[in-house]
Every structure is written in structure tokens, then in C-alpha cells.
Amino acid sequence: MSQISQQTADVNAAIDAELQLLDPAVRTSRALAARLLDPEFVEVGASGRRWTYEEMLAALPELDGGGGGGKDGPRFEPSRMGGVVLAPGIVHLTYETDFGGRRARRSSLWRRRDGETGWRMYYHQATPVPAAAE
């Protein structure tokens, strides 16, 4: 596989994993979410709160887009998702979400460690988009 083909495959795998983390079925399952979050995971949420791996796994089912809204509750609607390989085993994704009219710009770092086949989210940042902003 060429280097460009490998980079495209890596970005697509990270995008697929990011979309899984937005799925309510994954958000409400500690086991599924744990496979997608790196043990050294850190997030700075749209609220400004800093989350660790254990804090996120414990809270995720009740956070927006999880079980707290019920089966038919609002879901994150992603758009403009794209990514770039920063180094072997590191992918940076950026995108926007809409959740019940609240928009956020998001940035995630995904990594795949030597000997592992799956990608795991290492870092995530969400920044709210004011209603008047583009």
C-alpha cells in the first residue's frame, strides 16, 4: 500500500471511530466506549470542563447524545469532518456538531500504538459556536 493510501486509510479509520463515539448505543456502553478511548484520554469539553478516561467512561451514558435523552432523544449531527495524519499512528480530526441547535467545533487526536490494530481517541476539544457566528 502506498504512503498516501495508508494515510487515507488511517484517516478513514479514525473518522469511523469518531462516528462510533457519537452513536448513542456506544455512548451508553462502557465496554464499547472503552475500546475507543485511549487509557491516557483527556477531553476539554464545550463547557470548559476537563475530563479523564475514567471520568468520561463513568459520565458518558448520561451526557448529551447518550442514554440521558432516551432512545429517541437528540443526537449529535456531525458535519465538515476531515482529518490529516500528523505522524505515523497519529490522526487529527476536525469537524462541527449540531445538538438540538447547539453548535460546536471539535478537534480530536487519535492514536494507534505499535502492536495495536484499532485507533483510540487520545484527546478531544469542543468549542461552542455562538449563534451569530458562522
Side-chain angles (χ1 to χ4, degrees):
M1 182 179 297
S2 74
Q3 182 178 359
I4 291 180
S5 295
Q6 183 62 55
Q7 288 179 351
T8 300
D10 289 348
V11 168
N12 287 339
I15 287 173
D16 180 59
E18 185 89 37
L19 292 172
Q20 288 179 53
L21 275 174
L22 295 175
D23 184 329
V26 173
R27 296 174 77 79
T28 57
S29 168
R30 183 180 175 97
L32 294 176
R35 288 192 306 200
L36 294 169
L37 296 179
D38 191 276
E40 296 176 5
F41 170 82
V42 173
E43 175 174 328
V44 177
S47 67
R49 178 175 174 176
R50 182 181 184 277
W51 298 84
T52 64
Y53 175 80
E54 285 299 328
E55 290 169 336
M56 182 57 70
L57 288 177
L60 195 57
E62 297 305 318
L63 292 175
D64 286 347
K71 192 172 169 182
D72 298 322
R75 297 175 63 125
F76 284 100
E77 298 297 331
S79 63
R80 299 178 175 179
M81 191 175 287
V84 63
V85 174
L86 298 178
I90 304 287
V91 171
H92 179 220
L93 298 181
T94 57
Y95 63 104
E96 293 184 14
T97 56
D98 185 296
F99 184 83
R102 294 189 332 247
R103 292 178 46 223
R105 292 193 176 105
R106 297 180 178 272
S107 176
S108 298
L109 289 175
W110 288 81
R111 75 176 175 182
R112 184 182 60 210
R113 293 184 179 198
D114 289 340
E116 292 184 2
T117 57
W119 288 88
R120 292 176 146 204
M121 184 184 283
Y122 174 75
Y123 180 80
H124 184 77
Q125 170 101 32
T127 304
V129 178
E134 288 186 37

